[in-house]
Amino acid sequence: MSNGRLLSLGTGRLRTVAAILISEVNRVIPVSRLIDLSWEAEPPTRARGVVHNHVHRLRQLLAGQAEIATRGPGYALIADPCVVDVNRFQNLVSGAREAEPRTAVAKLRQALGLWRGEALADVPGDRVRRTLGVGLTQARVAAQQELGAKLLQLGRYGELVTELTAWLAENPLHEELTALLMRALQASGRQAEALEHYHRTRRHLKDQLGIDPGHALSATYLAVLSGKPSVAPQFSDRPSAGSGPAVPYASDCPLPSVAQLPPRIPDFCGRMREIAALEQKLDRVPGPGCVVLAGGGGAGKTTLAVHWAHCLKAEFPDGQLFADLRGFERPSMRPGTVLGMFLQALGVPEAKIPDSVTERSALYRSLLAGRRMLVLLDNAGTAEQVRPLLPATPGCLALVTSRRRLSGLVVRDGAALVTVGPFTADDALELLGNVLGRPRIAADRGAARELVERCDRLPLALRIAAARLMAHPDWSLRCWTKKLLDERDRLQELSAHDADLAVEASLYLSYRALSSGAARLFRLLGLHPGPDVDVHAAAALAGRDLERTRRHLAELCDAHLVEEQAQGRYGRTELVRIYAEQLVASEEAPADRDLARQRLRDHAARYRPRRC
């Protein structure tokens, strides 16, 4: 596959030559080695010419995507190493070795997910598969062992048993994988099954290879036989009050070190008003158990939350938990799933985690009782998604970010609310200067200020604009800012190559979560020419009564797509207005747009002040 396009390589020797070049991308492969690996028996006298023809054919197929260069006695496929699955696999496995266990599991899963069966299975010729494929297969099994060890360390025994059963079906005589399976079964309370696996493997080794189990597998057998516990943390079996599951007591179970906060952005700047508001909320007596940072998409809520959380770490010495709730994506994270992740991070083996959300939440709060922990819940969708994740002990703090205000948490749970809006003009300029370099901003400060306003002083838009300018150091600020003058292209210009790194994509997530009535009103507001609108004009556009229009405007305010102003009008940013204009043009029928405009004109005529 090249750039998402399948290449037709057939089933013959052309595929073999391609596999050899790809396996050693950016390295010179002598023609003699290509010949040696491409023929099983003695190569024919015309072998060199055949290889040359295959390379010529590959050059045609890869034109515009990659280059096959002639270098000395051979050829080299010149391409980004990361587009080759083998290199991606090796990089992920290497990164997992330096990561903490949960991150390592994610990286190893991603690495093993690149495999689609046996290495080089679709490449003809046993010689090339033996030469290049054996090492790959060994690396895959080693990665499986590393993943198994991490899952065992995290106490995720059920997950590990499922994985190992599948792996051992492919490698039934692999002693290290068998030992891991035995330890996982023992930790799950399935000692008899663990011993059965040992005896089955011992018989296979004797029958097929004529050998006895090695030291590691024998030692695991003796440990399981004697009932010696595995390395996973053990919990008290004393029952808790009520009919729920056994709950470990805080005094019995020292929590493992938990530090899950993402790294903070080094060029963080501004936000003095919001930080002052957050500090003021914490100074309340009693302090809130939950603080909600609410703002529109791309306003920088997560960046601010992570920065502030790092500043607070000393006040929460027992650790920090983090979860991206993906509240506006499909599917979002379920509270029970997040609780399961938190409980495992807190040292609870998978076998000890209850099934119901209520019981998981009770166990989670019991573990945090008497401790000081910070819980950062990013990108929440609803109060119901957050509520089971809130600690109950006064020493803990939940910091929640959301595109909505989550009023239910404020009203029912006593959460504090801090709104995160666009940057001030000076803070926006400072961010541009931090990313692009201050000399580039100073060279044309007027254009920089204009660029800031074209981006609505929105951190996401500013960072995308800065990334575009960094990729083109010869572009002047004024030249690129002119590209944003045309409103038809502005949202397209403020997008990166990643689908989710675009202002339009961010606005779409907020729009998609609206009720049908509020979404229709938002679209129709794209027909209103001004930066703000009152409820009467909005009702006229929608053709709805005032009460329903007020409800829909309140929903748009809650989603930070419009902002209610002091004088009772509803304002919106330029980028939001442009997005609404695009939506109404693409999703409303021309006749419906014409009727809405006519209703707005009729309303304006009725309320136009008369001259004396």
Side-chain angles (χ1 to χ4, degrees), residues 333-535:
M333 289 287 281
R334 296 182 178 181
T337 303
V338 179
L339 284 167
M341 294 164 51
F342 281 177
L343 289 171
Q344 290 182 20
L346 293 170
V348 182
E350 184 182 27
K352 298 283 187 177
I353 296 177
D355 292 329
S356 76
V357 173
T358 301
E359 291 175 336
R360 288 186 178 193
S361 185
L363 175 55
Y364 165 70
R365 288 167 176 159
S366 298
L367 285 171
L368 297 189
R371 295 180 167 97
R372 294 188 61 83
M373 292 196 73
L374 176 64
V375 182
L376 177 49
L377 304 171
D378 189 38
N379 197 19
T382 64
E384 291 71 27
Q385 187 186 26
V386 171
R387 193 166 283 120
L389 309 174
L390 296 179
T393 183
C396 295
L397 174 67
L399 183 58
V400 183
T401 73
S402 179
R403 293 166 183 250
R404 295 189 177 121
R405 293 169 181 165
L406 303 184
S407 301
L409 294 181
V410 177
V411 175
R412 288 186 51 188
D413 302 277
L417 176 64
V418 174
T419 300
V420 182
F423 271 137
T424 65
D426 289 339
D427 290 343
L429 281 173
E430 183 180 358
L431 176 61
L432 273 184
N434 289 343
V435 179
L436 291 176
R438 301 191 186 283
R440 198 169 181 185
I441 302 300
D444 195 342
R445 200 165 185 83
R449 288 192 176 276
E450 185 177 350
L451 174 59
V452 161
E453 296 307 319
R454 298 290 177 207
C455 293
D456 283 343
R457 292 179 272 115
L458 194 68
L460 174 62
L462 288 166
R463 288 192 178 276
I464 292 172
R468 298 286 300 277
L469 286 164
M470 287 172 67
H472 300 279
D474 55 327
W475 287 5
S476 70
L477 264 69
R478 186 164 300 279
C479 174
W480 199 78
T481 302
K482 286 181 180 178
K483 295 166 72 71
L484 302 181
L485 286 175
D486 190 341
E487 294 182 355
R488 294 170 299 179
D489 297 330
R490 191 179 304 177
L491 289 175
Q492 180 62 34
E493 292 292 341
L494 293 175
S495 63
H497 291 300
D498 293 338
D500 58 340
L501 292 179
V503 173
E504 185 174 358
S506 178
L507 290 170
Y508 171 71
L509 290 178
S510 297
Y511 166 75
R512 185 179 64 180
L514 298 172
S515 67
S516 59
R520 177 177 177 272
L521 175 59
F522 177 74
R523 293 193 300 271
L524 292 174
L525 287 176
L527 300 173
H528 192 277
D532 55 25
V533 64
D534 62 39
V535 65

